[in-house]
Amino acid sequence: MSSTHGRGNIELLSATLAKAKSEDRAALVAYLPAGFPTVDGGVEAVKAVIAGGADVVEIGLPHSDPVLDGPVIQTADDIALRGGVKIADVIRTVREAHEATGAPVLVMTYWNPIDRYGVERFTAELAAAGGAGCILPDLPVQESALWREHAGKHGLATVFVVAPSSRDERLATITAAGSGFVYAASLMGVTGTRASVGAEAKELVGRTRKTTDLPVCVGLGVSNPEQAREVAGFADGVIVGSAFVKLLLDAPDLPAGLAAVRSLAGELAEGVRRS
């Protein structure tokens, strides 16, 4: 099911989000770091969340200084880095997950590793692996021209992150430069599970929608079906990461972890259907 001639899968991503909308529901977007608990285990975890009901998957590129990530994802990143995970393993995770499931798979990464690896090389390899694009939480739009040029050439989406602190004028600048979807961070702070996702996210989605026709997906803090249902009431997609990663961290072994993430994906998939 891989894409041809090194073209990325932005069309697949857009079609998947549009299909969810046509079914009058939000898309379920799952986040898992590459190389965790191992490279092979990470690939199996992606397959498990898609089998459970996730529509789209974000593969995290483990980073030694993850400013946006809370303790759960930091712990997983640390395990992956100590296991020797490399960018080649991230690309391999994308390829194997996409080929096995046909689902759109993106990479979420800080800018520094791509800059060091080489923008042209990274975009070419991600596209050849059938990747759908990249989420770049710390790349300022005004410094993104080089990345967007190469991403566009290879058919990859460039997903930018907006936050409740983003002013309307800034939102318009960010959404005009992005493609695929807009990642709306539900609150100021780092990733992690939270008791409530709240009104800030709803207001941010409303303000973002006034600037763009791109789908708006909400992440940071969604961890259970009730929260997924709440966010699905106003967003095009619900992004869940730490809750999946925590299940894998807490599991006694990989098979138990895979069963747990598959089960949670199923519960969340019910949640995004807005009953």
Side-chain angles (χ1 to χ4, degrees), residues 2 19 90 117 126 133 144 174 189 197 222:
S2 62
K19 180 175 183 285
V90 179
Y117 195 73
L126 180 58
S144 68
I174 294 171
V197 180
V222 179

Side-chain angles (χ1 to χ4, degrees), residues 2-274:
S2 62
S3 50
T4 53
H5 309 304
R7 290 294 296 167
N9 270 321
I10 187 171
E11 292 88 358
L12 175 65
L13 174 64
S14 299
T16 302
L17 293 168
K19 180 175 183 285
K21 187 174 185 175
S22 76
E23 294 169 0
D24 192 36
R25 65 178 180 90
L28 176 60
V29 183
Y31 167 94
L32 291 161
F36 168 76
T38 60
V39 177
D40 289 343
V43 172
E44 292 307 313
V46 176
K47 293 182 195 172
V49 295
I50 293 169
D55 300 289
V56 178
V57 176
E58 304 172 1
I59 303 297
L61 194 159
H63 191 46
S64 53
D65 184 28
V67 287
L68 194 79
D69 293 308
V72 170
I73 290 172
Q74 282 186 18
T75 301
D77 277 6
D78 189 48
I79 290 167
L81 291 165
R82 279 185 290 149
V85 72
K86 302 274 188 292
I87 286 183
D89 299 312
V90 179
I91 300 289
R92 185 189 132 201
T93 301
V94 171
R95 176 183 290 110
E96 293 187 6
H98 171 63
E99 286 180 351
T101 65
V105 183
L106 300 103
V107 169
M108 185 163 189
T109 178
Y110 297 98
W111 179 243
N112 192 34
I114 293 181
D115 196 35
R116 284 213 308 263
Y117 195 73
V119 178
E120 168 57 29
R121 180 183 174 198
F122 185 87
T123 50
E125 290 181 7
L126 180 58
C134 231
I135 302 159
L136 300 155
D138 67 338
L139 178 65
V141 170
Q142 61 273 20
E143 293 169 28
S144 68
L146 177 70
W147 164 266
R148 286 188 288 131
E149 176 196 335
H150 288 293
K153 188 167 77 176
H154 290 292
L156 297 168
T158 298
V159 178
F160 288 112
V161 178
V162 298
S165 59
S166 305
R167 304 262 171 99
D168 292 353
E169 187 183 343
R170 174 105 184 116
L171 283 178
T173 304
I174 294 171
T175 59
S179 54
F181 65 91
V182 181
Y183 187 125
S186 65
L187 47 115
M188 304 307 292
V190 297
T191 58
T193 60
R194 284 183 176 77
S196 77
V197 180
E200 270 192 305
K202 186 172 185 177
E203 190 213 16
L204 176 60
V205 170
R207 290 197 297 123
T208 304
R209 282 218 176 107
K210 286 178 183 161
T211 71
T212 183
D213 292 329
L214 289 172
V216 184
C217 302
V218 170
L220 269 62
V222 179
S223 60
N224 61 48
E226 294 71 37
Q227 291 171 335
R229 184 169 289 118
E230 180 194 353
V231 174
F234 58 81
D236 299 297
V238 179
I239 303 169
V240 180
S242 297
F244 287 121
V245 176
K246 190 170 188 323
L247 290 175
L248 290 169
L249 279 170
D250 292 348
D253 54 39
L254 183 61
L258 296 176
V261 296
R262 180 172 178 160
S263 173
L264 177 61
E267 293 168 22
L268 293 165
E270 287 298 310
V272 299
R273 279 169 169 74
R274 301 186 182 129

